[in-house]
Amino acid sequence: MRFIARYAKDKKDYFELATVYEDEIQKEKIPKEKPFIKTISFKYPSAIWFERKIQDDFGIKIIDGFDTRKLLHHERFPDNIHPMLKDFTKKEIKHSKFKPYKYETIDGDSVFQVSVGPIHAGIIEPGHFHFSQAGERMLHLEVRHFYKHRAIEKMLEGKTLDEAKPIIERISANETIAYQIALRDIYLQAMNEELPIELQKQHAFLLELERVVHHLIDVGFIPNDAGFGSALAFASKLAEDARRMMQKITNHRFGFGSIGFESLDFDLDEIKFFLDTLQKEIEFFEDWIIDIPSLWDRFDTTGRLDIKKAIKYSCVGVVARASGVSIDRRINPFYIDNGFEMALEVSGDVGDRFKVRIKEIKNSLLMMKNFLNNKSVKIEKKPLKDGEYISYVESSLGEIFMAIDIKDGLIDRFFVRDPSFINWQALHIMMREDIIADFPLINKSCDLSYAGCDL
């Protein structure tokens, strides 16, 4: 049974713990007088971040957890403040005394520690990577994020879905369309409404366009991080062309506000020309990169994640599929009827993650042609029915899980599990046979979001 997420709710008189698996959601009442939960991290290692987050957010202690350190609350965050409690309403908090964070390390003769971050060169968001090294060889890596905790879950409480939408679609710039579609599906459930096929196709087109944009960036950066900058220049030009097409269709480069209940105006001829041109360009790019042996000397066997570990760590998206795990939320009749084919590799290394992205770009271009339509459609919004709703979307990074509880027409609890929250936890496994100079290459081959984790 595949583990997906674990999160808590403050029900005033008690806590409710929800554990989400592939085929069911298990719920458990936790008394506030004795707020303890049993860990499931020995069976599902990636559950540990969820449990540490629950501990920080609600003050619910973890029984027998192998890691009970703070996750979200950094060195000067007070021990007695748990912001997701319903009675927490403070606008500001006083910092407590600095308490050093104890990183997981490997000790021994000739073993030394290397810290990278949290501030990095360029424009990426903060994240800390702590290595235990024996010479150039990486023995262990601990990933630590959450330096820009934005309190989105708390911020959305008491808002309508319309008020929340501009915030939700900006959670992670890699997945703006995907987050809008996840929210759209919750709207539809709460309205007891179905989406016309024409709108389904338009939204799916934009989701695949978003996937193409980010895969193009990745297939440029992966060779670049192996020392071949020409690939990045070429792929960046293609990604910019795709981003400008997103701008033309939605009036925004990231597609903000584009997923709604009224169709957009698609210029079919212009888009068909764009798709045909991009298809030729990506085929040239693939032949070009495949035929450079020095690149594949760096790609092959680097950053390997075998299928057993990918399953054990509940990995999703390209990271999972490159290791041979057949998991993709697009496995449904709608997508299959429009040309979807699963892109799988088996070695789980940098090379296979590159190959999966190339395959997915080409498959997305095929599906986008089938999704094209400019039929004018509109459905009227209806009052939302109170209840607990969940949705899933296959973003460019993998499966998004979203849960929203609506009470009196307002958000009572918002929770989302970005694919990167899972996949970051498997990154350390990929490092153990490689040298520290390979870390940027391995990291980029996974293309994980900082912002998607740091709610």
Side-chain angles (χ1 to χ4, degrees):
M1 189 159 58
R2 182 171 71 92
F3 170 74
I4 293 175
R6 201 171 209 208
Y7 62 103
K9 305 175 185 180
D10 184 351
K11 295 289 190 177
K12 292 189 177 178
D13 296 329
Y14 62 92
F15 295 116
E16 182 178 275
L17 177 68
T19 306
V20 185
Y21 298 100
E22 178 72 46
D23 298 317
E24 66 175 341
I25 298 178
Q26 296 178 359
K27 295 183 178 180
E28 179 183 353
K29 282 187 177 181
I30 310 295
K32 287 197 169 181
E33 309 81 58
K34 293 182 179 179
F36 296 99
I37 60 173
K38 292 183 179 180
T39 186
I40 59 170
S41 58
F42 293 101
K43 184 174 183 180
Y44 302 104
S46 60
I48 197 64
W49 274 20
F50 294 90
E51 293 171 355
R52 290 168 66 191
K53 182 179 185 302
I54 289 168
Q55 183 173 257
D56 287 356
D57 283 342
F58 295 92
I60 302 172
K61 302 298 181 183
I62 310 165
I63 296 177
D64 298 331
F66 64 82
D67 187 355
T68 59
R69 294 170 299 165
K70 293 181 179 181
L71 184 74
L72 311 180
H73 299 171
H74 283 242
E75 286 82 350
R76 296 192 65 192
F77 199 98
D79 291 336
N80 62 341
I81 290 181
H82 304 288
M84 287 303 294
L85 296 176
K86 290 293 187 184
D87 60 6
F88 179 80
T89 58
K90 293 182 179 180
K91 300 292 184 181
E92 295 181 0
I93 59 173
K94 291 183 179 180
H95 290 165
S96 64
K97 186 178 178 180
F98 182 89
K99 294 179 181 178
Y101 182 83
K102 185 173 175 56
Y103 285 94
E104 294 176 342
T105 60
I106 293 176
D107 299 318
D109 292 341
S110 302
V111 177
F112 59 95
Q113 311 302 315
V114 175
S115 293
V116 179
I119 305 303
H120 302 273
I123 59 172
I124 65 173
E125 293 170 301
H128 189 88
F129 304 95
H130 195 90
F131 300 88
S132 293
Q133 293 285 137
E136 282 290 291
R137 184 173 171 230
M138 292 180 282
L139 301 181
H140 182 65
L141 163 68
E142 180 176 358
V143 175
R144 189 183 185 211
H145 294 326
F146 316 104
Y147 287 88
K148 279 192 174 179
H149 187 54
R150 296 169 289 171
I152 288 174
E153 290 169 285
K154 188 72 173 182
M155 184 193 312
L156 295 183
E157 289 182 1
K159 285 182 166 53
T160 66
L161 291 191
D162 287 346
E163 291 169 338
K165 186 176 185 295
I167 299 170
I168 293 171
E169 67 187 13
R170 287 167 172 80
I171 285 176
S172 175
N174 297 70
E175 306 152 282
T176 58
I177 301 295
Y179 271 95
Q180 289 180 70
I181 290 177
L183 181 60
R184 176 208 70 185
D185 288 347
I186 287 174
Y187 265 111
L188 291 169
Q189 293 171 55
M191 294 191 301
N192 193 27
E193 186 66 80
E194 292 188 4
L195 199 68
I197 188 66
E198 294 83 4
L199 271 179
Q200 288 184 48
K201 287 188 172 184
Q202 284 201 357
H203 294 173
F205 178 94
L206 294 177
L207 182 61
E208 295 311 306
L209 179 57
E210 179 174 75
R211 192 182 321 279
V212 166
V213 170
H214 297 128
H215 281 353
L216 285 170
I217 293 170
D218 293 335
V219 297
F221 264 108
I222 293 170
N224 179 75
D225 284 356
F228 192 62
S230 297
L232 177 59
F234 189 92
S236 294
K237 186 266 180 188
L238 301 184
E240 177 61 19
D241 290 343
R243 183 69 76 194
R244 291 182 183 185
M245 181 55 67
M246 180 74 79
Q247 166 94 38
K248 285 185 178 181
I249 296 171
T250 69
N251 293 318
H252 198 285
R253 288 171 59 82
F254 288 89
F256 293 139
S258 60
I259 303 298
F261 301 111
E262 186 174 357
S263 56
L264 301 172
D265 184 19
F266 278 42
D267 186 331
L268 299 186
D269 291 336
E270 182 179 23
I271 294 174
K272 286 177 182 176
F273 178 79
F274 160 75
L275 295 175
D276 289 340
T277 302
L278 184 52
Q279 184 172 342
K280 293 175 184 176
E281 297 278 26
I282 198 62
E283 288 172 356
F284 165 81
F285 179 83
E286 180 183 19
D287 291 342
W288 180 33
I289 300 301
I290 291 293
D291 202 31
I292 303 176
S294 58
L295 282 179
W296 293 91
D297 285 343
R298 291 290 307 280
F299 292 177
D300 289 337
T301 74
T302 301
R304 293 191 65 182
L305 178 69
D306 65 46
I307 188 169
K308 289 183 179 179
K309 289 291 177 64
I311 293 171
K312 183 176 181 179
Y313 276 79
S314 309
C315 292
V316 294
V318 170
V319 171
R321 293 190 286 273
S323 297
V325 183
S326 299
I327 178 173
D328 194 310
R329 284 288 167 182
R330 295 173 294 171
I331 303 176
N332 59 59
F334 170 75
Y335 261 96
I336 292 170
D337 289 347
N338 283 283
F340 171 73
E341 294 182 2
M342 175 81 72
L344 286 176
E345 294 292 339
V346 295
S347 297
D349 55 17
V350 170
D352 277 3
R353 289 189 281 275
F354 178 90
K355 291 174 186 174
V356 167
R357 285 193 166 85
I358 291 288
K359 287 181 179 179
E360 291 196 358
I361 291 170
K362 294 195 290 187
N363 188 225
S364 291
L365 293 176
L366 170 65
M367 290 188 291
M368 288 162 73
K369 292 178 181 178
N370 294 332
F371 291 144
L372 271 180
N373 76 91
N374 58 2
K375 185 175 179 179
S376 181
V377 178
K378 181 178 180 180
I379 61 174
E380 298 296 331
K381 283 187 179 180
K382 298 178 181 178
L384 304 182
K385 184 180 178 181
D386 287 357
E388 300 179 358
Y389 304 100
I390 66 169
S391 63
Y392 296 92
V393 175
E394 189 71 25
S395 79
S396 59
L397 303 188
E399 173 196 71
I400 290 174
F401 166 78
M402 185 179 291
I404 298 180
D405 293 358
I406 299 176
K407 183 179 179 181
D408 299 327
L410 304 175
I411 295 174
D412 187 59
R413 178 73 167 103
F414 172 84
F415 176 83
V416 71
R417 191 234 60 200
D418 190 89
S420 295
F421 195 87
I422 288 277
N423 288 341
W424 275 120
Q425 297 188 63
L427 189 64
H428 72 281
I429 304 170
M430 308 176 199
M431 307 292 168
R432 293 177 179 169
E433 298 177 3
D434 298 297
I435 63 174
I436 196 167
D438 287 326
F439 170 69
L441 177 63
I442 298 168
N443 190 19
K444 191 57 194 176
S445 74
C446 297
D447 187 24
L448 306 178
S449 170
Y450 295 81
C453 294
D454 201 355
L455 300 181

